[in-house]
Amino acid sequence: MDRYVCNICGYVYDPADGDPDAGVPAGTSFAQLPAGWVCPLCGVPKEDFTKEA
């Protein structure tokens, strides 16, 4: 699964880790994140992330 990087703060969403603080279990792909999920560091929406090269 692909990792995605926040264009604002550089946070990397790694599906292997998920986002446990937001209730997102490990193994959750970026596409499967809930619509209201935001960057845990700066609060921007998924639209402000790009796939890591």
Side-chain angles (χ1 to χ4, degrees):
M1 284 188 270
D2 295 318
R3 294 168 24 136
Y4 283 75
V5 180
C6 177
N7 298 327
I8 306 302
C9 72
Y11 169 81
V12 177
Y13 176 76
D14 187 342
D17 299 329
D19 184 3
D21 292 338
V24 177
T28 302
S29 72
F30 190 79
Q32 294 174 314
L33 288 170
W37 183 86
V38 296
C39 177
L41 297 183
C42 70
V44 298
K46 289 171 48 175
E47 291 77 23
D48 288 318
F49 279 71
T50 52
K51 185 165 53 168
E52 188 176 62

